[in-house]
Amino acid sequence: MAPFRGVRYAAGRVSGLAEVTSPPYDVIAHEIEDQLIAADPHNVVRLILPRSATGRPDEIYSDAAVALQDWLDQQIMVPDQVPGLYVYEQATVRGDALASQNGHTGTRQDAAGHGIAQRGLIGALRLVPADAGIVLPHEDVVPGPVIGRRQLMEATQANLEPIFLLYDGSQPGAATRLVEAVATGRAPLLEALTTDGMRHRLWALTDPAELAAVAADLAPRQALIADGHHRYAAYLQLQERRRSAGGGDGPWDYGLALLVDSAAYPPQIGAIHRVIPGLAPAAALDLAKGSFSTSPLPGGTRDLPAALRALGDASAGGRVAFLVAGGGEAHLLSDPDPVQLDAAMPPGRSPRWRGLTASVLQELLLTRVWGIRDDESSVRVVHNDAARAIRAADEVPAGTAVICPALPAADVYAVAANGERVPRKSTSFGPKPRTGLVIRTFAQG
């Protein structure tokens, strides 16, 4: 992790940091995007999810670049004077009911009684080949989003939001000690309380001796990509394009990242659900009956807590189970037929990969049983919100929602360590870093 001159919103030039920052681009529902745009004319969502002023989709990335340059010229956003790493903390405000509902309770408390959900370091990650075994992806990607994120970076000449990395700090070193010392003993550069009940704080770590100690500690460590696989793939794609064009070494050899000690702050892993437009729930269930055991849930989607409890019980101990829901009904799918399951699995996969709920979903249920390709054009994904997935299915003609359990962390780590990747959009690690607190421009990075 290398220091860089972070670019941040200037104090007093915007209505507030909560109003100009956002969740990561790929978890923002359309209605939330509208709310963010309305909150402040300089919300970072205008950069990460640009809308063309002319209505031409091919101009959205250049529009984002123009907006960013305007904000820099007007000093809405300004670069820090000294390169550094940034200590980043996410915490729940004491007594905040919304944060508790979202599961952001935190495992420790600060002096004011706030729950510390996560602390880590934001810096410029030096890019390494995917097969180097230093940065481990755990999830597959699809070309469309990778190309889109790369085009956005090329247009803006910036990394607008960090990817999220985890490393095993069970043998803690200087990085973990400094993160804790800075967060508990120094005044932050900024603080923001967002509507999800999270307090975000940022500190700059600029002392050369401290930066050297962090670098020495992190150099031999391995990191898992928790969130941001498409952005990391876009980093590598951009680097390759610049190298092929004779660009040599440059800012494209790095990418913005948040690095968290998973021993100090174990991540939360939420589920990612599927919505299949055009597939009626009754038809989906009829097709699935030949490959799974199916059980109707008496309360249907009207009693979603009971349905989710049934899913949790059915998937306990690593067993495969889903909910198929829509039109007020919900059915539990479990115990896939072993012969069909074996035939559906691609060759060369490990037994652990073949037993993942996400693998069974992709290879057997979606591809073999329903004849649907699990990509962004055919299947919508909804992060960690079963109710929203069911609503989305009911809003589209003849839509079906597939409610999935969260993958266990041990399975994710084991698959990644074996050099494999779980199917795309299988995990939702959290808490996710807030976008817009600090960005990295190539001119300053």
PDB file of all heavy atoms in Angstrom, residues 165-203:
ATOM      1  N   LEU A 165     -10.330  -4.876   0.683  1.00  0.00           N
ATOM      2  CA  LEU A 165      -9.452  -6.026   0.856  1.00  0.00           C
ATOM      3  C   LEU A 165      -9.374  -6.439   2.320  1.00  0.00           C
ATOM      4  O   LEU A 165      -9.454  -5.585   3.216  1.00  0.00           O
ATOM      5  CB  LEU A 165      -8.032  -5.704   0.367  1.00  0.00           C
ATOM      6  CG  LEU A 165      -7.843  -5.242  -1.074  1.00  0.00           C
ATOM      7  CD1 LEU A 165      -6.374  -4.888  -1.306  1.00  0.00           C
ATOM      8  CD2 LEU A 165      -8.298  -6.294  -2.050  1.00  0.00           C
ATOM      9  N   LEU A 166      -9.178  -7.725   2.542  1.00  0.00           N
ATOM     10  CA  LEU A 166      -8.990  -8.267   3.892  1.00  0.00           C
ATOM     11  C   LEU A 166      -7.657  -9.003   3.957  1.00  0.00           C
ATOM     12  O   LEU A 166      -7.267  -9.659   2.994  1.00  0.00           O
ATOM     13  CB  LEU A 166     -10.111  -9.252   4.231  1.00  0.00           C
ATOM     14  CG  LEU A 166     -11.532  -8.708   4.273  1.00  0.00           C
ATOM     15  CD1 LEU A 166     -12.528  -9.859   4.331  1.00  0.00           C
ATOM     16  CD2 LEU A 166     -11.731  -7.781   5.465  1.00  0.00           C
ATOM     17  N   TYR A 167      -6.975  -8.888   5.101  1.00  0.00           N
ATOM     18  CA  TYR A 167      -5.787  -9.699   5.316  1.00  0.00           C
ATOM     19  C   TYR A 167      -5.842 -10.284   6.725  1.00  0.00           C
ATOM     20  O   TYR A 167      -6.519  -9.750   7.614  1.00  0.00           O
ATOM     21  CB  TYR A 167      -4.498  -8.896   5.107  1.00  0.00           C
ATOM     22  CG  TYR A 167      -4.156  -7.923   6.212  1.00  0.00           C
ATOM     23  CD1 TYR A 167      -3.248  -8.274   7.218  1.00  0.00           C
ATOM     24  CD2 TYR A 167      -4.714  -6.650   6.249  1.00  0.00           C
ATOM     25  CE1 TYR A 167      -2.910  -7.375   8.227  1.00  0.00           C
ATOM     26  CE2 TYR A 167      -4.384  -5.742   7.249  1.00  0.00           C
ATOM     27  CZ  TYR A 167      -3.484  -6.115   8.239  1.00  0.00           C
ATOM     28  OH  TYR A 167      -3.167  -5.229   9.237  1.00  0.00           O
ATOM     29  N   ASP A 168      -5.160 -11.394   6.913  1.00  0.00           N
ATOM     30  CA  ASP A 168      -5.172 -12.089   8.195  1.00  0.00           C
ATOM     31  C   ASP A 168      -4.131 -11.472   9.122  1.00  0.00           C
ATOM     32  O   ASP A 168      -2.935 -11.682   8.955  1.00  0.00           O
ATOM     33  CB  ASP A 168      -4.878 -13.574   7.970  1.00  0.00           C
ATOM     34  CG  ASP A 168      -4.899 -14.376   9.270  1.00  0.00           C
ATOM     35  OD1 ASP A 168      -5.251 -13.805  10.327  1.00  0.00           O
ATOM     36  OD2 ASP A 168      -4.570 -15.574   9.225  1.00  0.00           O
ATOM     37  N   GLY A 169      -4.620 -10.731  10.094  1.00  0.00           N
ATOM     38  CA  GLY A 169      -3.724 -10.107  11.067  1.00  0.00           C
ATOM     39  C   GLY A 169      -3.710 -10.830  12.396  1.00  0.00           C
ATOM     40  O   GLY A 169      -3.506 -10.198  13.441  1.00  0.00           O
ATOM     41  N   SER A 170      -3.914 -12.144  12.380  1.00  0.00           N
ATOM     42  CA  SER A 170      -3.889 -12.888  13.643  1.00  0.00           C
ATOM     43  C   SER A 170      -2.525 -12.788  14.311  1.00  0.00           C
ATOM     44  O   SER A 170      -2.401 -12.985  15.526  1.00  0.00           O
ATOM     45  CB  SER A 170      -4.277 -14.353  13.409  1.00  0.00           C
ATOM     46  OG  SER A 170      -3.487 -14.929  12.394  1.00  0.00           O
ATOM     47  N   GLN A 171      -1.488 -12.499  13.513  1.00  0.00           N
ATOM     48  CA  GLN A 171      -0.186 -12.100  14.054  1.00  0.00           C
ATOM     49  C   GLN A 171      -0.046 -10.602  13.778  1.00  0.00           C
ATOM     50  O   GLN A 171       0.528 -10.193  12.780  1.00  0.00           O
ATOM     51  CB  GLN A 171       0.941 -12.891  13.386  1.00  0.00           C
ATOM     52  CG  GLN A 171       0.881 -14.383  13.608  1.00  0.00           C
ATOM     53  CD  GLN A 171       1.085 -14.750  15.066  1.00  0.00           C
ATOM     54  OE1 GLN A 171       1.870 -14.119  15.788  1.00  0.00           O
ATOM     55  NE2 GLN A 171       0.363 -15.772  15.520  1.00  0.00           N
ATOM     56  N   PRO A 172      -0.595  -9.744  14.652  1.00  0.00           N
ATOM     57  CA  PRO A 172      -0.673  -8.314  14.337  1.00  0.00           C
ATOM     58  C   PRO A 172       0.699  -7.666  14.246  1.00  0.00           C
ATOM     59  O   PRO A 172       1.646  -8.061  14.931  1.00  0.00           O
ATOM     60  CB  PRO A 172      -1.495  -7.734  15.491  1.00  0.00           C
ATOM     61  CG  PRO A 172      -1.323  -8.704  16.609  1.00  0.00           C
ATOM     62  CD  PRO A 172      -1.167 -10.050  15.981  1.00  0.00           C
ATOM     63  N   GLY A 173       0.753  -6.666  13.370  1.00  0.00           N
ATOM     64  CA  GLY A 173       2.002  -5.946  13.176  1.00  0.00           C
ATOM     65  C   GLY A 173       1.795  -4.453  13.268  1.00  0.00           C
ATOM     66  O   GLY A 173       0.808  -3.965  13.835  1.00  0.00           O
ATOM     67  N   ALA A 174       2.709  -3.701  12.658  1.00  0.00           N
ATOM     68  CA  ALA A 174       2.699  -2.245  12.777  1.00  0.00           C
ATOM     69  C   ALA A 174       1.440  -1.630  12.186  1.00  0.00           C
ATOM     70  O   ALA A 174       0.927  -0.628  12.699  1.00  0.00           O
ATOM     71  CB  ALA A 174       3.938  -1.665  12.102  1.00  0.00           C
ATOM     72  N   ALA A 175       0.929  -2.209  11.101  1.00  0.00           N
ATOM     73  CA  ALA A 175      -0.246  -1.613  10.460  1.00  0.00           C
ATOM     74  C   ALA A 175      -1.436  -1.605  11.409  1.00  0.00           C
ATOM     75  O   ALA A 175      -2.093  -0.573  11.593  1.00  0.00           O
ATOM     76  CB  ALA A 175      -0.583  -2.379   9.173  1.00  0.00           C
ATOM     77  N   THR A 176      -1.732  -2.744  12.012  1.00  0.00           N
ATOM     78  CA  THR A 176      -2.869  -2.817  12.938  1.00  0.00           C
ATOM     79  C   THR A 176      -2.647  -1.917  14.149  1.00  0.00           C
ATOM     80  O   THR A 176      -3.565  -1.206  14.591  1.00  0.00           O
ATOM     81  CB  THR A 176      -3.095  -4.265  13.388  1.00  0.00           C
ATOM     82  OG1 THR A 176      -3.421  -5.055  12.241  1.00  0.00           O
ATOM     83  CG2 THR A 176      -4.228  -4.355  14.396  1.00  0.00           C
ATOM     84  N   ARG A 177      -1.447  -1.928  14.696  1.00  0.00           N
ATOM     85  CA  ARG A 177      -1.168  -1.099  15.881  1.00  0.00           C
ATOM     86  C   ARG A 177      -1.317   0.384  15.561  1.00  0.00           C
ATOM     87  O   ARG A 177      -1.873   1.159  16.354  1.00  0.00           O
ATOM     88  CB  ARG A 177       0.235  -1.407  16.414  1.00  0.00           C
ATOM     89  CG  ARG A 177       0.350  -2.779  17.073  1.00  0.00           C
ATOM     90  CD  ARG A 177       1.654  -2.910  17.853  1.00  0.00           C
ATOM     91  NE  ARG A 177       2.815  -2.885  16.973  1.00  0.00           N
ATOM     92  CZ  ARG A 177       3.356  -3.980  16.439  1.00  0.00           C
ATOM     93  NH1 ARG A 177       2.838  -5.169  16.676  1.00  0.00           N
ATOM     94  NH2 ARG A 177       4.429  -3.879  15.661  1.00  0.00           N
ATOM     95  N   LEU A 178      -0.833   0.809  14.394  1.00  0.00           N
ATOM     96  CA  LEU A 178      -0.942   2.220  14.031  1.00  0.00           C
ATOM     97  C   LEU A 178      -2.387   2.618  13.758  1.00  0.00           C
ATOM     98  O   LEU A 178      -2.819   3.717  14.138  1.00  0.00           O
ATOM     99  CB  LEU A 178      -0.077   2.514  12.815  1.00  0.00           C
ATOM    100  CG  LEU A 178       1.384   2.832  13.118  1.00  0.00           C
ATOM    101  CD1 LEU A 178       2.216   2.821  11.852  1.00  0.00           C
ATOM    102  CD2 LEU A 178       1.502   4.184  13.821  1.00  0.00           C
ATOM    103  N   VAL A 179      -3.145   1.752  13.104  1.00  0.00           N
ATOM    104  CA  VAL A 179      -4.560   2.047  12.863  1.00  0.00           C
ATOM    105  C   VAL A 179      -5.268   2.299  14.185  1.00  0.00           C
ATOM    106  O   VAL A 179      -6.022   3.275  14.337  1.00  0.00           O
ATOM    107  CB  VAL A 179      -5.221   0.894  12.083  1.00  0.00           C
ATOM    108  CG1 VAL A 179      -6.745   0.980  12.160  1.00  0.00           C
ATOM    109  CG2 VAL A 179      -4.777   0.913  10.629  1.00  0.00           C
ATOM    110  N   GLU A 180      -5.037   1.449  15.160  1.00  0.00           N
ATOM    111  CA  GLU A 180      -5.697   1.617  16.457  1.00  0.00           C
ATOM    112  C   GLU A 180      -5.200   2.867  17.182  1.00  0.00           C
ATOM    113  O   GLU A 180      -5.997   3.622  17.765  1.00  0.00           O
ATOM    114  CB  GLU A 180      -5.463   0.381  17.323  1.00  0.00           C
ATOM    115  CG  GLU A 180      -6.052  -0.897  16.753  1.00  0.00           C
ATOM    116  CD  GLU A 180      -7.546  -0.787  16.511  1.00  0.00           C
ATOM    117  OE1 GLU A 180      -8.286  -0.369  17.428  1.00  0.00           O
ATOM    118  OE2 GLU A 180      -7.989  -1.102  15.383  1.00  0.00           O
ATOM    119  N   ALA A 181      -3.900   3.116  17.129  1.00  0.00           N
ATOM    120  CA  ALA A 181      -3.345   4.283  17.821  1.00  0.00           C
ATOM    121  C   ALA A 181      -3.862   5.583  17.223  1.00  0.00           C
ATOM    122  O   ALA A 181      -4.219   6.530  17.941  1.00  0.00           O
ATOM    123  CB  ALA A 181      -1.816   4.244  17.773  1.00  0.00           C
ATOM    124  N   VAL A 182      -3.914   5.651  15.907  1.00  0.00           N
ATOM    125  CA  VAL A 182      -4.386   6.866  15.237  1.00  0.00           C
ATOM    126  C   VAL A 182      -5.867   7.095  15.523  1.00  0.00           C
ATOM    127  O   VAL A 182      -6.293   8.210  15.858  1.00  0.00           O
ATOM    128  CB  VAL A 182      -4.129   6.772  13.725  1.00  0.00           C
ATOM    129  CG1 VAL A 182      -4.834   7.891  12.978  1.00  0.00           C
ATOM    130  CG2 VAL A 182      -2.628   6.832  13.447  1.00  0.00           C
ATOM    131  N   ALA A 183      -6.668   6.040  15.427  1.00  0.00           N
ATOM    132  CA  ALA A 183      -8.113   6.189  15.588  1.00  0.00           C
ATOM    133  C   ALA A 183      -8.513   6.524  17.020  1.00  0.00           C
ATOM    134  O   ALA A 183      -9.572   7.119  17.250  1.00  0.00           O
ATOM    135  CB  ALA A 183      -8.821   4.913  15.139  1.00  0.00           C
ATOM    136  N   THR A 184      -7.676   6.166  17.979  1.00  0.00           N
ATOM    137  CA  THR A 184      -8.026   6.432  19.377  1.00  0.00           C
ATOM    138  C   THR A 184      -7.297   7.636  19.973  1.00  0.00           C
ATOM    139  O   THR A 184      -7.694   8.113  21.032  1.00  0.00           O
ATOM    140  CB  THR A 184      -7.719   5.199  20.246  1.00  0.00           C
ATOM    141  OG1 THR A 184      -6.345   4.821  20.089  1.00  0.00           O
ATOM    142  CG2 THR A 184      -8.601   4.028  19.849  1.00  0.00           C
ATOM    143  N   GLY A 185      -6.268   8.135  19.280  1.00  0.00           N
ATOM    144  CA  GLY A 185      -5.473   9.178  19.899  1.00  0.00           C
ATOM    145  C   GLY A 185      -5.290  10.451  19.108  1.00  0.00           C
ATOM    146  O   GLY A 185      -4.643  11.394  19.592  1.00  0.00           O
ATOM    147  N   ARG A 186      -5.855  10.539  17.881  1.00  0.00           N
ATOM    148  CA  ARG A 186      -5.643  11.736  17.069  1.00  0.00           C
ATOM    149  C   ARG A 186      -6.980  12.278  16.569  1.00  0.00           C
ATOM    150  O   ARG A 186      -7.950  11.541  16.415  1.00  0.00           O
ATOM    151  CB  ARG A 186      -4.727  11.419  15.877  1.00  0.00           C
ATOM    152  CG  ARG A 186      -3.375  10.850  16.278  1.00  0.00           C
ATOM    153  CD  ARG A 186      -2.471  10.599  15.083  1.00  0.00           C
ATOM    154  NE  ARG A 186      -1.299   9.810  15.455  1.00  0.00           N
ATOM    155  CZ  ARG A 186      -0.358   9.414  14.621  1.00  0.00           C
ATOM    156  NH1 ARG A 186      -0.432   9.759  13.329  1.00  0.00           N
ATOM    157  NH2 ARG A 186       0.665   8.678  15.041  1.00  0.00           N
ATOM    158  N   ALA A 187      -7.001  13.574  16.309  1.00  0.00           N
ATOM    159  CA  ALA A 187      -8.219  14.211  15.792  1.00  0.00           C
ATOM    160  C   ALA A 187      -8.405  13.849  14.326  1.00  0.00           C
ATOM    161  O   ALA A 187      -7.450  13.899  13.543  1.00  0.00           O
ATOM    162  CB  ALA A 187      -8.115  15.723  15.943  1.00  0.00           C
ATOM    163  N   PRO A 188      -9.612  13.484  13.900  1.00  0.00           N
ATOM    164  CA  PRO A 188      -9.828  13.092  12.510  1.00  0.00           C
ATOM    165  C   PRO A 188      -9.839  14.283  11.563  1.00  0.00           C
ATOM    166  O   PRO A 188     -10.133  15.413  11.942  1.00  0.00           O
ATOM    167  CB  PRO A 188     -11.202  12.410  12.552  1.00  0.00           C
ATOM    168  CG  PRO A 188     -11.905  13.052  13.696  1.00  0.00           C
ATOM    169  CD  PRO A 188     -10.837  13.354  14.718  1.00  0.00           C
ATOM    170  N   LEU A 189      -9.524  13.988  10.286  1.00  0.00           N
ATOM    171  CA  LEU A 189      -9.652  14.992   9.236  1.00  0.00           C
ATOM    172  C   LEU A 189     -11.107  15.328   8.972  1.00  0.00           C
ATOM    173  O   LEU A 189     -11.453  16.471   8.663  1.00  0.00           O
ATOM    174  CB  LEU A 189      -9.041  14.466   7.924  1.00  0.00           C
ATOM    175  CG  LEU A 189      -7.542  14.292   7.820  1.00  0.00           C
ATOM    176  CD1 LEU A 189      -7.221  13.630   6.486  1.00  0.00           C
ATOM    177  CD2 LEU A 189      -6.844  15.629   7.937  1.00  0.00           C
ATOM    178  N   LEU A 190     -11.957  14.329   9.051  1.00  0.00           N
ATOM    179  CA  LEU A 190     -13.369  14.517   8.731  1.00  0.00           C
ATOM    180  C   LEU A 190     -14.202  13.511   9.479  1.00  0.00           C
ATOM    181  O   LEU A 190     -13.714  12.470   9.944  1.00  0.00           O
ATOM    182  CB  LEU A 190     -13.608  14.415   7.214  1.00  0.00           C
ATOM    183  CG  LEU A 190     -13.238  13.102   6.522  1.00  0.00           C
ATOM    184  CD1 LEU A 190     -14.366  12.075   6.607  1.00  0.00           C
ATOM    185  CD2 LEU A 190     -12.892  13.369   5.066  1.00  0.00           C
ATOM    186  N   GLU A 191     -15.493  13.841   9.595  1.00  0.00           N
ATOM    187  CA  GLU A 191     -16.455  12.958  10.247  1.00  0.00           C
ATOM    188  C   GLU A 191     -17.808  13.176   9.581  1.00  0.00           C
ATOM    189  O   GLU A 191     -18.192  14.305   9.290  1.00  0.00           O
ATOM    190  CB  GLU A 191     -16.533  13.251  11.739  1.00  0.00           C
ATOM    191  CG  GLU A 191     -17.490  12.358  12.504  1.00  0.00           C
ATOM    192  CD  GLU A 191     -17.405  12.580  14.015  1.00  0.00           C
ATOM    193  OE1 GLU A 191     -16.291  12.844  14.506  1.00  0.00           O
ATOM    194  OE2 GLU A 191     -18.456  12.484  14.686  1.00  0.00           O
ATOM    195  N   ALA A 192     -18.518  12.083   9.346  1.00  0.00           N
ATOM    196  CA  ALA A 192     -19.842  12.177   8.724  1.00  0.00           C
ATOM    197  C   ALA A 192     -20.736  11.089   9.286  1.00  0.00           C
ATOM    198  O   ALA A 192     -20.300   9.956   9.501  1.00  0.00           O
ATOM    199  CB  ALA A 192     -19.738  12.035   7.205  1.00  0.00           C
ATOM    200  N   LEU A 193     -21.987  11.435   9.530  1.00  0.00           N
ATOM    201  CA  LEU A 193     -23.000  10.477   9.972  1.00  0.00           C
ATOM    202  C   LEU A 193     -23.993  10.304   8.837  1.00  0.00           C
ATOM    203  O   LEU A 193     -24.655  11.261   8.427  1.00  0.00           O
ATOM    204  CB  LEU A 193     -23.719  10.969  11.225  1.00  0.00           C
ATOM    205  CG  LEU A 193     -24.835  10.057  11.756  1.00  0.00           C
ATOM    206  CD1 LEU A 193     -24.265   8.709  12.188  1.00  0.00           C
ATOM    207  CD2 LEU A 193     -25.570  10.720  12.908  1.00  0.00           C
ATOM    208  N   THR A 194     -24.083   9.090   8.292  1.00  0.00           N
ATOM    209  CA  THR A 194     -24.945   8.829   7.146  1.00  0.00           C
ATOM    210  C   THR A 194     -26.273   8.233   7.586  1.00  0.00           C
ATOM    211  O   THR A 194     -26.431   7.788   8.726  1.00  0.00           O
ATOM    212  CB  THR A 194     -24.240   7.897   6.150  1.00  0.00           C
ATOM    213  OG1 THR A 194     -23.709   6.754   6.834  1.00  0.00           O
ATOM    214  CG2 THR A 194     -23.089   8.634   5.485  1.00  0.00           C
ATOM    215  N   THR A 195     -27.227   8.228   6.665  1.00  0.00           N
ATOM    216  CA  THR A 195     -28.601   7.877   7.018  1.00  0.00           C
ATOM    217  C   THR A 195     -28.780   6.408   7.374  1.00  0.00           C
ATOM    218  O   THR A 195     -29.837   6.026   7.882  1.00  0.00           O
ATOM    219  CB  THR A 195     -29.553   8.219   5.852  1.00  0.00           C
ATOM    220  OG1 THR A 195     -29.084   7.566   4.657  1.00  0.00           O
ATOM    221  CG2 THR A 195     -29.596   9.721   5.617  1.00  0.00           C
ATOM    222  N   ASP A 196     -27.767   5.573   7.128  1.00  0.00           N
ATOM    223  CA  ASP A 196     -27.865   4.171   7.522  1.00  0.00           C
ATOM    224  C   ASP A 196     -27.398   3.945   8.952  1.00  0.00           C
ATOM    225  O   ASP A 196     -27.269   2.805   9.398  1.00  0.00           O
ATOM    226  CB  ASP A 196     -27.068   3.283   6.563  1.00  0.00           C
ATOM    227  CG  ASP A 196     -25.587   3.632   6.532  1.00  0.00           C
ATOM    228  OD1 ASP A 196     -25.174   4.629   7.160  1.00  0.00           O
ATOM    229  OD2 ASP A 196     -24.827   2.909   5.865  1.00  0.00           O
ATOM    230  N   GLY A 197     -27.133   5.033   9.684  1.00  0.00           N
ATOM    231  CA  GLY A 197     -26.734   4.921  11.073  1.00  0.00           C
ATOM    232  C   GLY A 197     -25.252   4.718  11.291  1.00  0.00           C
ATOM    233  O   GLY A 197     -24.831   4.370  12.397  1.00  0.00           O
ATOM    234  N   MET A 198     -24.440   4.947  10.250  1.00  0.00           N
ATOM    235  CA  MET A 198     -23.005   4.764  10.371  1.00  0.00           C
ATOM    236  C   MET A 198     -22.295   6.109  10.497  1.00  0.00           C
ATOM    237  O   MET A 198     -22.637   7.061   9.799  1.00  0.00           O
ATOM    238  CB  MET A 198     -22.449   4.032   9.142  1.00  0.00           C
ATOM    239  CG  MET A 198     -22.940   2.608   8.972  1.00  0.00           C
ATOM    240  SD  MET A 198     -22.317   1.480  10.237  1.00  0.00           S
ATOM    241  CE  MET A 198     -20.616   1.326   9.725  1.00  0.00           C
ATOM    242  N   ARG A 199     -21.312   6.145  11.391  1.00  0.00           N
ATOM    243  CA  ARG A 199     -20.419   7.297  11.496  1.00  0.00           C
ATOM    244  C   ARG A 199     -19.104   6.943  10.805  1.00  0.00           C
ATOM    245  O   ARG A 199     -18.516   5.897  11.056  1.00  0.00           O
ATOM    246  CB  ARG A 199     -20.149   7.632  12.963  1.00  0.00           C
ATOM    247  CG  ARG A 199     -19.286   8.898  13.163  1.00  0.00           C
ATOM    248  CD  ARG A 199     -18.787   8.997  14.594  1.00  0.00           C
ATOM    249  NE  ARG A 199     -17.837   7.945  14.911  1.00  0.00           N
ATOM    250  CZ  ARG A 199     -17.333   7.741  16.129  1.00  0.00           C
ATOM    251  NH1 ARG A 199     -17.729   8.493  17.143  1.00  0.00           N
ATOM    252  NH2 ARG A 199     -16.460   6.762  16.344  1.00  0.00           N
ATOM    253  N   HIS A 200     -18.672   7.833   9.912  1.00  0.00           N
ATOM    254  CA  HIS A 200     -17.452   7.621   9.142  1.00  0.00           C
ATOM    255  C   HIS A 200     -16.424   8.669   9.554  1.00  0.00           C
ATOM    256  O   HIS A 200     -16.733   9.864   9.597  1.00  0.00           O
ATOM    257  CB  HIS A 200     -17.735   7.746   7.641  1.00  0.00           C
ATOM    258  CG  HIS A 200     -18.845   6.861   7.167  1.00  0.00           C
ATOM    259  ND1 HIS A 200     -18.632   5.646   6.569  1.00  0.00           N
ATOM    260  CD2 HIS A 200     -20.199   7.020   7.221  1.00  0.00           C
ATOM    261  CE1 HIS A 200     -19.795   5.088   6.270  1.00  0.00           C
ATOM    262  NE2 HIS A 200     -20.761   5.901   6.647  1.00  0.00           N
ATOM    263  N   ARG A 201     -15.207   8.219   9.859  1.00  0.00           N
ATOM    264  CA  ARG A 201     -14.127   9.150  10.216  1.00  0.00           C
ATOM    265  C   ARG A 201     -12.860   8.767   9.446  1.00  0.00           C
ATOM    266  O   ARG A 201     -12.623   7.599   9.150  1.00  0.00           O
ATOM    267  CB  ARG A 201     -13.867   9.131  11.719  1.00  0.00           C
ATOM    268  CG  ARG A 201     -15.057   9.584  12.557  1.00  0.00           C
ATOM    269  CD  ARG A 201     -14.659  10.003  13.969  1.00  0.00           C
ATOM    270  NE  ARG A 201     -14.150   8.884  14.745  1.00  0.00           N
ATOM    271  CZ  ARG A 201     -13.634   9.006  15.976  1.00  0.00           C
ATOM    272  NH1 ARG A 201     -13.553  10.200  16.550  1.00  0.00           N
ATOM    273  NH2 ARG A 201     -13.202   7.941  16.632  1.00  0.00           N
ATOM    274  N   LEU A 202     -12.062   9.797   9.160  1.00  0.00           N
ATOM    275  CA  LEU A 202     -10.855   9.623   8.357  1.00  0.00           C
ATOM    276  C   LEU A 202      -9.708  10.400   8.986  1.00  0.00           C
ATOM    277  O   LEU A 202      -9.887  11.544   9.418  1.00  0.00           O
ATOM    278  CB  LEU A 202     -11.113  10.129   6.929  1.00  0.00           C
ATOM    279  CG  LEU A 202     -10.207   9.633   5.804  1.00  0.00           C
ATOM    280  CD1 LEU A 202     -10.505   8.165   5.496  1.00  0.00           C
ATOM    281  CD2 LEU A 202     -10.404  10.475   4.551  1.00  0.00           C
ATOM    282  N   TRP A 203      -8.536   9.755   9.030  1.00  0.00           N
ATOM    283  CA  TRP A 203      -7.300  10.388   9.500  1.00  0.00           C
ATOM    284  C   TRP A 203      -6.219  10.208   8.423  1.00  0.00           C
ATOM    285  O   TRP A 203      -6.247   9.214   7.692  1.00  0.00           O
ATOM    286  CB  TRP A 203      -6.772   9.720  10.769  1.00  0.00           C
ATOM    287  CG  TRP A 203      -7.608   9.826  12.001  1.00  0.00           C
ATOM    288  CD1 TRP A 203      -7.438  10.674  13.064  1.00  0.00           C
ATOM    289  CD2 TRP A 203      -8.735   8.999  12.343  1.00  0.00           C
ATOM    290  NE1 TRP A 203      -8.383  10.430  14.021  1.00  0.00           N
ATOM    291  CE2 TRP A 203      -9.196   9.424  13.619  1.00  0.00           C
ATOM    292  CE3 TRP A 203      -9.406   7.968  11.698  1.00  0.00           C
ATOM    293  CZ2 TRP A 203     -10.289   8.827  14.257  1.00  0.00           C
ATOM    294  CZ3 TRP A 203     -10.487   7.376  12.317  1.00  0.00           C
ATOM    295  CH2 TRP A 203     -10.932   7.806  13.579  1.00  0.00           C
TER     296      TRP A 203
END
